[in-house]
Amino acid sequence: MRLLLLTLCIILFGGNTLRLEAKKYFFSNYNFCHITEEAGLPNNSVTAVMKDSFGYIWVATQDGLARYDGYRFLSYGVKEPLYRLKGNYVYTLCEDRQKRLWVGSDAGLDLIDLQTGLSLPASDLGAVSELSSLFNSFVRSVVQTTDGNIWVVTDKMLWCLELDSSGVVTAFYRMQAEADESVSRRLKEDFVPE
């Protein structure tokens, strides 16, 4: 029994020592800094963070979107003249195969060309009139699947956009929640394993 107790103590105290050494090693090899509004972030309340294929860090906040290049921020928002968004409360970010950033906010869906950093018109996707309600809805989440399709969760609808190799919508599907419930609640109820 004493041998077991001694072994347990060695493991516990030795484990803590190893953890402390690993922590020291990790933090001594990497440079950490806190980035806040003082450094140019639109708001300290961050809702999503993503690194794009060009190496930029995109930070979604409750007061706009920022692209960080490691030195400074480029801000996107409702009041920005060149880098305008539909809404400032940005919830979700997703890069597609065509190097476009899908930005979901409280006022709709925006597209940004990652090569130029400029907003793209919805007409670049084709089928503009059928998708106008999507681009002007409260967007909670945007995800790209392995087959290149874009799935969008809005306040009352789930959308699937099938894109061709050039990024144009070839077909879309939608599932609408009942009048008094949100799609996210319905998805949880419909897909809960029994």
Side-chain angles (χ1 to χ4, degrees), residues 35 41 43-49 58-62 89-91:
I35 300 172
L41 196 63
N43 189 293
N44 287 336
S45 296
V46 174
T47 55
V49 177
W58 292 85
V59 183
T61 73
Q62 293 180 358
Y89 200 123
V90 179
Y91 285 92

Side-chain angles (χ1 to χ4, degrees), residues 17-29 32:
T17 304
L18 287 174
R19 238 186 330 231
L20 289 173
E21 287 301 315
K23 185 177 176 182
K24 283 182 198 174
Y25 176 78
F26 181 80
F27 285 105
S28 66
N29 287 323
F32 285 90

Side-chain angles (χ1 to χ4, degrees), residues 65-150:
L65 174 66
R67 186 184 80 177
Y68 187 61
D69 64 4
Y71 301 101
R72 62 187 164 279
F73 285 100
L74 178 62
S75 294
Y76 291 73
V78 173
K79 295 179 181 175
E80 297 295 328
L82 189 56
Y83 305 107
R84 189 175 306 271
L85 295 177
K86 289 184 178 111
N88 272 342
Y89 200 123
V90 179
Y91 285 92
T92 186
L93 304 168
C94 178
E95 180 178 352
D96 67 11
R97 291 180 178 172
Q98 289 72 33
K99 310 265 187 254
R100 298 177 298 201
L101 184 66
W102 295 67
V103 180
S105 71
D106 59 344
L109 193 59
D110 289 288
L111 283 174
I112 297 173
D113 181 346
L114 291 174
Q115 291 178 332
T116 63
L118 298 175
S119 294
L120 295 170
S123 60
D124 283 8
L125 293 174
V128 177
S129 61
E130 295 91 354
L131 296 175
S132 64
S133 66
L134 169 62
F135 276 83
N136 296 312
S137 295
F138 182 112
V139 177
R140 295 182 187 277
S141 181
V142 180
V143 177
Q144 180 179 356
T145 57
T146 55
D147 58 3
N149 292 340
I150 299 290

Side-chain angles (χ1 to χ4, degrees), residues 5-19:
L5 188 59
L6 180 62
T7 306
L8 185 61
C9 287
I10 289 172
I11 291 172
L12 286 175
F13 293 122
N16 281 339
T17 304
L18 287 174
R19 238 186 330 231

Side-chain angles (χ1 to χ4, degrees), residues 169-184:
V169 175
T170 56
F172 64 91
Y173 313 95
R174 56 187 169 204
M175 179 181 82
Q176 187 166 358
E178 295 178 19
D180 62 341
E181 68 179 339
S182 71
V183 170
S184 54

